[in-house]
Amino acid sequence: MKGYTNGEIQDFEDETSPAGVILGLDGGTTSTVCICMLASASISFGGGGEAAESLPILSRASAGCSNFNSVGEAAAKETLEKVMVEALSMAHSNCSAVRAICLAVSGVNHPSDQQKILEWVRDLFPCSVKIIIENDAVAAMASGTLGKLHGCVLIAGTGCIAYGFCEDGRQARAAGAGPILGDWGSGYGIAAQALTAIIRAHDGRGPQTTLMNNILNVLGLSSPDEVIGWTYADPSWARIAALVPVVVASAEDGDEVADKILHYSVQELADSVKAVIRRLKLSGEDGKSPFPLVMVGGVIEANNKKWDIGKEVGKLISKDYPGVFPIRPKVSKLSRLQYILWEWQFFLQFSQ
């Protein structure tokens, strides 16, 4: 098959079942994971999440960001190719053995995005391979509802997006357009506001904040002036978003600037979810019908002594939509992939 080594593709033999294999890929702004399993694997309907979590996995490969809006098309394409080929290599399989591929990738916001990624994938695999491409919110939703795509999901990690699903097939989304276009509830958005607050305090344009010393210490810098060079040396979203725990810790220690940043971000995340609820009428005509809200991502999990961002977002939403019941699944990207493959079993079983 085509093995991926230092940017080059090398050949090796297929040792898997004649039935072939299927690939599932969950690509985010921080990390990307691909799993490989036998196409002949038995996937049962019903039975709850255990059915998804018991899917037999041959191999798992991981890499960095695959959101082309963050790292550019060339880097994103390379990451997708790398994890798929590595997963096949570890499973002792090859591209010709692949029967279907499910990709849930952040940054897929329009049919043109799906077409772009489809063309990348087609460069590696035969035209007979069945391919489905969705936003990574689909995998996140499935991980919290045992594979059922109904309700709303909020991803708040390096980036953020709210995505809603109805049982009749209707979908809606809010946010997810990147930091330049207002994803201020994201990890990048929170950290960027903190960095801005440092510069403003240093200039005398804003209030003093403990964020200055706390972030300088974490970055190993000696002066706020050095923050400028650090920021623009590599403005990748994940690198900036990694500062979120410092902002949370500063807020919990009583810093008003950090606390204000987190409150603003909570409002932004809640507003995104509410927009999806309204558009799909997930709460029913009376606004009180129950529906699940799956919340995942590093920002949701960035809590310590006092601050719990996910809990605060849930409180704001429940004021207007009392039927919401938040779900915060403790699952990895691997588990998300297992759930999404379970949900899409009709596709993966190659029904005629």
Side-chain angles (χ1 to χ4, degrees):
M1 79 152 280
K2 297 180 177 181
Y4 193 94
T5 305
N6 295 325
E8 297 182 354
I9 296 180
Q10 304 175 338
D11 291 336
F12 58 88
E13 296 299 320
D14 178 27
E15 300 177 12
T16 52
S17 163
V21 298
I22 55 179
L23 297 176
L25 187 146
D26 188 342
T29 308
T30 302
S31 63
T32 302
V33 175
C34 181
I35 61 175
C36 178
M37 59 182 287
L38 290 174
S40 58
S42 176
I43 307 175
S44 62
F45 289 87
E50 296 80 4
E53 293 176 340
S54 64
L55 294 180
I57 294 175
L58 297 175
S59 63
R60 173 186 182 274
S62 61
C65 175
S66 55
N67 184 329
F68 57 81
N69 292 319
S70 175
V71 296
E73 293 186 11
K77 179 181 179 182
E78 181 177 2
T79 296
L80 293 177
E81 291 178 349
K82 181 176 184 288
V83 291
M84 288 189 289
V85 173
E86 284 189 355
L88 286 170
S89 173
M90 288 187 287
H92 303 289
S93 188
N94 63 34
C95 294
S96 63
V98 176
R99 300 293 177 262
I101 309 172
C102 290
L103 302 99
V105 185
S106 66
V108 175
N109 304 315
H110 188 271
S112 62
D113 299 328
Q114 293 174 306
Q115 183 61 35
K116 185 197 310 288
I117 294 178
L118 176 62
E119 291 172 359
W120 296 349
V121 176
R122 284 293 181 213
D123 285 343
L124 279 179
F125 299 96
C127 60
S128 59
V129 175
K130 301 192 178 189
I131 301 171
I132 186 167
I133 301 167
E134 295 284 358
N135 188 280
D136 64 335
V138 178
M141 183 78 209
S143 72
T145 57
L146 303 183
K148 185 176 182 180
L149 296 182
H150 170 66
C152 187
V153 59
L154 172 65
I155 298 180
T158 297
C160 67
I161 188 171
Y163 218 114
F165 304 84
C166 290
E167 292 178 326
D168 62 8
R170 289 180 297 121
Q171 300 181 12
R173 53 165 289 171
I180 294 176
L181 299 177
D183 285 353
W184 299 116
S186 68
Y188 182 101
I190 291 171
Q193 291 175 77
L195 292 171
T196 300
I198 291 176
I199 299 301
R200 288 179 58 83
H202 182 59
D203 290 347
R205 293 182 291 129
Q208 292 302 304
T209 170
T210 59
L211 284 169
M212 183 179 293
N213 287 333
N214 292 343
I215 289 181
L216 289 178
N217 288 337
V218 167
L219 299 181
L221 305 178
S222 57
S223 166
D225 290 325
E226 297 179 29
V227 170
I228 300 173
W230 179 88
T231 301
Y232 293 111
D234 177 7
S236 62
W237 298 355
R239 177 172 173 264
I240 303 296
L243 295 173
V244 168
V246 184
V247 183
V248 175
S250 299
E252 292 184 333
D253 288 339
D255 186 82
E256 293 184 2
V257 173
D259 192 70
K260 184 177 181 180
I261 290 172
L262 294 184
H263 274 105
Y264 177 71
S265 299
V266 165
Q267 185 66 60
E268 285 286 304
L269 293 173
D271 286 346
S272 296
V273 172
K274 289 179 183 179
V276 170
I277 295 171
R278 287 194 299 269
R279 288 167 62 186
L280 294 179
K281 295 184 178 180
L282 289 174
S283 60
E285 295 296 335
D286 61 358
K288 299 180 180 179
S289 297
F291 65 93
L293 168 62
V294 179
M295 295 191 289
V296 300
V299 170
I300 300 297
E301 299 163 4
N303 53 74
N304 194 357
K305 296 171 290 186
K306 302 174 184 177
W307 257 101
D308 186 327
I309 294 175
K311 184 177 181 180
E312 295 302 316
V313 171
K315 284 182 180 178
L316 283 184
I317 296 170
S318 64
K319 287 181 180 179
D320 294 328
Y321 302 102
V324 63
F325 55 96
I327 301 171
R328 296 165 70 171
K330 302 296 183 181
V331 298
S332 64
K333 281 184 178 289
L334 173 61
S335 296
R336 290 189 202 175
L337 285 169
Q338 288 173 292
Y339 278 110
I340 201 167
L341 292 181
W342 185 49
E343 167 65 18
W344 287 340
Q345 57 187 302
F346 66 93
F347 174 81
L348 300 172
Q349 296 288 8
F350 323 118
S351 58
Q352 299 300 317

